[in-house]
Structure formats: structure tokens, C-alpha cells
Amino acid sequence: MAMDVRLTVLSRALDQAVAVIDGVQESQLGDPTPCPGWDVGRLLAHLVAAPGRFVEMSNGGQPDWSTDPPVGPGEAGSAFRASADELLATWRAKGEDADTSMADWQTAEVAVHTWDLVRATGQDPDLDPEVAERGMAFMTAGLTDDNRGPAFGPEVPVPGDAPVYVRLAAVAGRAP
């Protein structure tokens, strides 16, 4: 798949995530999420930190995914946008010959957590179905019973004609 297609979909995933992040209210930070043991504040901090961690990984680093710096709703959208823009610039700097398979993983990560945040905060945005399709294709191909770890529970059965974000969440082990 051409780099421009993967980056276009990743860019749209990042755009919709920032719109959902901007919809989080201070009063919702302690609310539960579809991520076991995570409240909205922790999920928000994790999602905001993700693009910066992706940049660190692309530069050969080993980011610490076990802890996330806290971030409030008032600063979360701009912080996410800045690191999302840095991530896209990092991808573009790699050039057309770069292995872009990790862009699909990044799309999957952002798409699942955007859905988690939508569900936790009661938002009703018009989420991009192609973002979910690419994320689901990546997760379906890569997640096995052996590598799900604590972040992804067993796949939850849902009807094949369920909305694409419901199917994505189910692949990620969420109970939609």
C-alpha cells in the first residue's frame, strides 16, 4: 500500500481524535471507560501521549507505555494536535521508500482509543469508517491469543453487519 494512503488515513484518525478529545469535559475525567481499570482522565492522557511515543519509536527509542503524564481537557486537544503534527512530519521525512506498516498500527491504536473515549463521554461524532477499517484489518492480522496482553482482551463476538467501529472495538476485546 502506498505511503500516501496510509498517511492520509492516519491523518484522518488523528483529526477525528482531536475533535473527540476537545469534547471531553472536566467533570468526565473520573468516569469509567471501555478500557478495564481506566477512567476518562487516564485514557485521555494515554491518547494524548501516543503520537509522541510513536515519534520516539520511529527514532529508535523505547517509550514507556506504562505511565502517562496527566493532562486536563483544556490543554489536551492542543497537546495532541502538536504531537500528531510532529508524527505526520516524521513520517513524511522518511520518504516514499519507508516501511509504512507501522502507520496502520498507529491508526488502529488511535481509532480504538478514540472509540473508547467516545463511548466513555457520550459523544456522537461522525467517525470515519475507513479509519476503523484500516485499524481493524491491522488488528485482525496481528492480534493473537498469545500477544493480546493486558491491553486487549479476547475478541468479543459481534454480528458481521455491526457498525465498523463496533467490530473494531470487539476485535480489540472491548464489549461494545
Side-chain angles (χ1 to χ4, degrees):
M1 183 73 39
M3 181 175 176
D4 60 318
V5 172
R6 286 183 168 148
L7 288 183
T8 297
V9 176
L10 175 59
S11 179
R12 292 194 330 243
L14 296 166
D15 288 346
Q16 74 182 14
V18 79
V20 170
I21 289 167
D22 282 341
V24 175
Q25 304 299 308
E26 186 82 34
S27 62
Q28 296 173 314
L29 294 179
D31 291 352
T33 73
C35 302
W38 286 20
D39 62 15
V40 169
R42 180 160 183 215
L43 174 59
L44 183 66
H46 178 77
L47 186 55
V48 168
R53 289 185 174 134
F54 297 147
V55 170
E56 184 179 345
M57 289 173 69
S58 74
N59 292 326
Q62 298 285 329
D64 178 5
W65 289 89
S66 67
T67 181
D68 303 301
V71 62
E75 63 201 61
S78 60
F80 182 87
R81 179 81 271 165
S83 61
D85 289 345
E86 182 182 1
L87 174 61
L88 293 172
T90 299
W91 272 116
R92 289 185 183 105
K94 290 184 178 292
E96 288 294 319
D97 295 329
D99 175 7
T100 59
S101 61
M102 293 308 288
D104 284 341
W105 171 63
Q106 294 164 1
T107 296
E109 173 81 6
V110 172
V112 168
H113 287 315
T114 298
W115 181 88
D116 291 334
L117 201 54
V118 163
R119 290 295 296 246
T121 60
Q123 297 183 52
D124 189 22
D126 186 20
L127 296 177
D128 185 331
E130 188 177 2
V131 168
E133 291 285 354
R134 287 199 74 80
M136 189 170 54
F138 179 84
M139 291 181 86
T140 300
L143 280 179
T144 66
D145 291 340
D146 294 334
N147 71 2
R148 286 181 169 269
F152 302 103
E155 186 169 344
V156 176
V158 295
D161 63 350
V164 67
Y165 276 89
V166 170
R167 289 182 283 134
L168 172 66
V171 167
R174 309 298 199 261

